[in-house]
Amino acid sequence: MELTGRLTLPTDVDMAEETIELKEALGADALRDCDGTTMPDALLSQDAKTYATYYTTRKDNAWAEANPEEIQQEYLISERVTARGNTLRIELMKGFHREQLKVNETDDPKRWWEVIDRTAGEVVPADCWEYKADTGEVVIQTVPYHEYTVSFLAFLIWDPVHMYNFLTNDWKDAPHQLTFDVRQPKTKRYVMDKLKQWCETHPEIDVVRFTTFFHQFTLTFDDKKREKYVEWFGYSASVSPYILKQFEEWAGYPFRPEFIVDEGYHNSIFRVPSKEFRDFMEFQQIEVSKLAKEMVDIVHSYGKEAMMFLGDHWIGTEPFGNYFADIGLDAVVGSVGDGVTLRMISDIKGVNYTEGRLLPYFFPDVFCEEGDPIKEAQENWLKARRAILRSPLDRIGYGGYLKLAYEREGFVEEMKHIVNEFRLIHQHMQGTGAYTAPFKVAVLNCWGNLRRWMANQVHHAIWHREIYSYVGVLECLSGMPFEVEFITFEEVKKGIPEEIRVIINAGDAGTAFSGGSSWADAEVLVKLRAFVDNGGGFIGVGEPTAYPYQGRYFQLSDVLGVDREMNFSLSTDKYNEINPKHFILEDVEQDIDFGEGMSRIYAQGERYQILCMDGEYSQLVVNSYGSGRSVYFAGLPYSPQNCRILLRAIYYAAGREEDMKKFYVTHVDTEAAVFEQTGKIAVINNAMEARETDLYINGQKFCHLELEPMEMRWVEKV
Amino acid sequence: MELTGRLTLPTDVDMAEETIELKEALGADALRDCDGTTMPDALLSQDAKTYATYYTTRKDNAWAEANPEEIQQEYLISERVTARGNTLRIELMKGFHREQLKVNETDDPKRWWEVIDRTAGEVVPADCWEYKADTGEVVIQTVPYHEYTVSFLAFLIWDPVHMYNFLTNDWKDAPHQLTFDVRQPKTKRYVMDKLKQWCETHPEIDVVRFTTFFHQFTLTFDDKKREKYVEWFGYSASVSPYILKQFEEWAGYPFRPEFIVDEGYHNSIFRVPSKEFRDFMEFQQIEVSKLAKEMVDIVHSYGKEAMMFLGDHWIGTEPFGNYFADIGLDAVVGSVGDGVTLRMISDIKGVNYTEGRLLPYFFPDVFCEEGDPIKEAQENWLKARRAILRSPLDRIGYGGYLKLAYEREGFVEEMKHIVNEFRLIHQHMQGTGAYTAPFKVAVLNCWGNLRRWMANQVHHAIWHREIYSYVGVLECLSGMPFEVEFITFEEVKKGIPEEIRVIINAGDAGTAFSGGSSWADAEVLVKLRAFVDNGGGFIGVGEPTAYPYQGRYFQLSDVLGVDREMNFSLSTDKYNEINPKHFILEDVEQDIDFGEGMSRIYAQGERYQILCMDGEYSQLVVNSYGSGRSVYFAGLPYSPQNCRILLRAIYYAAGREEDMKKFYVTHVDTEAAVFEQTGKIAVINNAMEARETDLYINGQKFCHLELEPMEMRWVEKV
């Protein structure tokens, strides 16, 4: 029996017939439009749900132009300029794209801007600078050779995503879409009414897909129309004096631009968040959720579903925050870049279903002669599949221009194969969960569950040399048989829950993911030492627990059995020797890939074993501490072999090695997901080549399997 | 005519005849004994100066045993131990070698020791801990899961260098030499008298070679007789309550063991020195110089010369400090590990002559079947020769067992060759200096001239992976045609001298060599920005000017045109592109070696040019700033090519490119030293292979030279 459903396809105005053909061939049960495409009327009568993309903050330039004071705003920081004399002129818009952003001259600069002497680290008093509207400059009274910045508000006169799509797809004639701020009173009334009207005039639409609500993540372009700044988690464009005054009232202290501008780092997710920024995020979540609920209620009142796209204007909706469920959404849809970004969607609670947009998008950058969209689809699916087996999406779908996929030889066949595997998972799991180890694994950082699966990321699944050695930890975990929690230092101080047996800390020193100054908090150290001493496991990657203090760089170097040489202890001899014979490396045959591989790590203490070295430096070290254990990795990029090493490291750290072979497959490129309630086991081959593997159940060899490249084999558990 | 003189040879009791043979063959004019060797009487009548090694602090166990309270002391820090309950026992001597060190139970522990809670960063009150002499433990009232250390005094019951020589040479029967502290009253009287007696009874000795004066640099062994801690600059073994009470009086504030123990880092030269440690160093220099002068005066009163060995017990004699010249020494001798350590000797003022001990020492570790002493001698000489041409030693010599050199085939020939080249330099330079550029180059760090040529070193010319990319800068400079100053941040604040045109800052973030918190001092930044703006040059290597503050990691990123990505600005797009066409790289044909190569460097601003990249990261960047220029290197290990790159970088940074070809040789492996007053030019080939090179004078090609491997060719300047 052919399986159908659980699939959404994009369409376009000139693709009615082909859409129907593909819908039938792939068993799709939903159709959608995209930014830049239109649903053909002919499809509205098809036997499929219809999704309509809905923009709350743009696609209405008439309104924006008529209400320029309610256009969205962003906090910008000027260039840093060094004074050479006693006065300095800083041109605010230098380096920004003037078609995207325009200085806000309406709201009082002296109230809402900040000029900072970055050399002295002091705010320049408001009477020592002046804004010159005619030249767009701020003139400052300066100390010679001090460096200055101006933090200022600008209107977003071109929606960043529209601008991005416009530039990427080389659109020519489309007018630049202005933004407007739904949080402000006039616009709020207007937008709510408009949504009602829209619902009334679109009875054929089943699902209103919000893209998203009110505030775009930070995405700024430079004067050459190149991306200048992009932070998928950024709140810098969610501001306006109207909102900030409310924030001041709520928070009970005066607002400062520096809360948002943050030395020019704009509260990158890598920054240890300040109290003020955490307050601001909380405030925004409360307000955004309230307002979003109003829109969702309207949609529901017309008998339609409300779906949120996790992206673009998602700021303030933090799907793992405390207020998200209050919105009352029916569904969330998001782009699946890998296992981590899949879990970012599939782990969301408080909605009826989740949907993942698989890659590649049907865009000309991949569907071109040099592109290999089939390979991209396969690689994406290999990562997505193992995550789905642990935390399933309810639906999948595609985006972009259907024409491109339709015309690409072999691509529709590949889609068919993927969609079928997806449906098989649901058929075999029957709504039950895959087996997980009888303990939880926790990832410890400054963000905790609020930014579950988002650690060490810059922009949604984009590779950076600085991060892949850490993102790999989460990518491995996204498809592993563990329940994963994300916890904060505050939670550690309150008490580590009993069910957590292994805690992971992974990141560069000073970042929110390693923890920065959190490691100077004695209470944190005491709680974690007690946890490990009493049998817990601690896994550190890169620069875990790093904070130079009182003679140590890694504050839990006693637990980890390693520290990093920051030159101050070069005079101390180290006698590190390798001994790779260990449980963690039993299956491993290839060289271990530590990615960028944190340098200058040395083992110390009396209870360590070094499993891997690079010259005199250590890369993989285990240590015992009281009744507990730790494992240190110099880095852990994603690979099937590293998944296996991490699997073993976690069981080892937990002191539960004997549990590992309850369900187990021998080849490192293979994994098993076991659905005990339905008696089905999925054995997946994560390699692009054929693999042989033995399946173990309760420590006994159950069967030998010869798997095709990338195969998913379903085995009946007797 | 065969040249003679300027050469010191070691000898031994059974080598009288061979010594005479070699003395004649090599034209030596001085003979010496070594630790573990004895001068044969037969040699005392030879036509040569005789040096006698003289130990002020050891080789008299009877005295030490009779005066145990005046044995030397060292501050030690116990292991770091984490409390698991409310009480903790720390075994003080765990991990130390009990034949080398013994807990000082004589002086009141409560007055001179310190127990520190390293987790809270607090001193444990003296009534919350107790020393148990019977078990050698300190029992502490603790907070569970806090980590504790004990700083305590121990007697040095085996002289560290004697122990080192004993272990290295596998001596069996020699009794362990105890130490005694000449600073203490009884011992002082005794030692002075003994020196007088010794002078009286050794009329045949011309030169008393002190090894050295009173305090050994820190050299501690572990419980397996392995080196545990070695810092060639360390003051930890120069303490005793007797001295510390004097220090308190001099400094005017109470002493704390933490001033010396320094979180366990023992004031490594890499630490930004605290005020208290700088005070302690100064106090020690004053006192050591005073006492050393007394000894030197005694030596002089017997018509002998006093020579200081720059090593072993040299602590407190800082040869570039303010008090060194007061000692009144005739000479300094030291080991020449490379060009840097040669300059450490040859740049010393306040003595009549300097002598360098060339490598290899005639020890069995090199003079064995696997060893290649000839190659070691050649490599050592190549580095020494270029430094001698800039700042000549007056004499050279060798150390160890002469028998080994005598019996090694070809080694005496090699010595002959080296000694002859050395004498030729003196013959041609006639006491004049080689040409230097018409401006000075300054190395900026926390130590300045006090530790001239000592930057980024752990232990006298020992290679470490963490430092060679910085030591290379000084090694290059040691043989370059520049006058080099070493300046501190305080000096920068007082005003950069006119003649300095290029300032170099090279080191890892947080170290005394980069500068650490010195870069948070606005005055330093203002002075350096003004310097470059007005035409000065700034060269940064590794993590120059690094201090995370106000949105920048490199505080002079505006001057340097680069910053380091510490993850907080990953969201900011960088569009770095390489353009290797530049004055600095004109001669360069090989790949550039950046050593460890600081990662994550990106260029920023509007006036930079990137000359070298590693993927998306930059490695060599020039920038202009006002009328001045900067050059950034990701690292600069020593190599002939890197010397050339640095030469060009300095001329470029100074804005004096046109001056470079005043005297110039084209091949990067060759260098020229020009003695304008004598009309002689030395062209040296630093490669082990033959090289062809053109010599330019005043921008004009003067001649073409075909140089043998390692050749030094003397050319007459017309």
Side-chain angles (χ1 to χ4, degrees), chain A residues 629-674:
Chain A
R629 291 166 172 176
S630 76
V631 184
Y632 173 83
F633 290 96
L636 201 77
Y638 173 76
S639 71
Q641 178 169 285
N642 278 351
C643 285
R644 180 60 56 95
I645 292 172
L646 184 59
L647 181 86
R648 286 181 162 272
I650 289 171
Y651 275 107
Y652 173 77
R656 303 279 186 90
E657 297 96 312
E658 73 287 351
D659 286 354
M660 190 182 69
K661 292 207 174 166
K662 183 170 164 78
F663 302 110
Y664 191 74
V665 277
T666 50
H667 199 289
V668 297
D669 289 340
T670 63
E671 289 176 299
V674 181

Side-chain angles (χ1 to χ4, degrees), chain A residues 47 68 80 127 138 204 221 321 398 475 496 606:
Chain A
D47 174 27
R80 300 169 73 97
D127 56 2
V138 167
E204 70 290 355
F221 292 83
Y398 290 90
E475 185 64 26
I496 299 160
E606 290 168 350

Side-chain angles (χ1 to χ4, degrees), chain B residues 235-301:
Chain B
Y235 275 64
S236 289
S238 73
V239 294
S240 72
Y242 181 82
I243 288 171
L244 297 174
K245 280 182 212 159
Q246 291 177 352
F247 170 74
E248 284 184 332
E249 218 163 287
W250 177 85
Y253 54 83
F255 174 79
R256 270 192 62 193
E258 189 70 355
F259 298 165
I260 301 298
V261 164
D262 178 31
E263 303 182 6
Y265 297 128
H266 306 284
N267 295 297
S268 151
I269 194 173
F270 287 85
R271 296 278 283 171
V272 173
S274 65
K275 181 196 175 300
E276 292 84 0
F277 182 60
R278 279 185 286 121
D279 285 349
F280 184 71
M281 283 180 70
E282 170 128 16
F283 171 76
Q284 292 291 67
Q285 288 175 69
I286 292 169
E287 295 298 317
V288 165
S289 301
K290 236 181 338 195
L291 202 55
K293 181 176 188 315
E294 288 188 39
M295 302 198 98
V296 169
D297 286 349
I298 290 169
V299 169
H300 286 168
S301 73

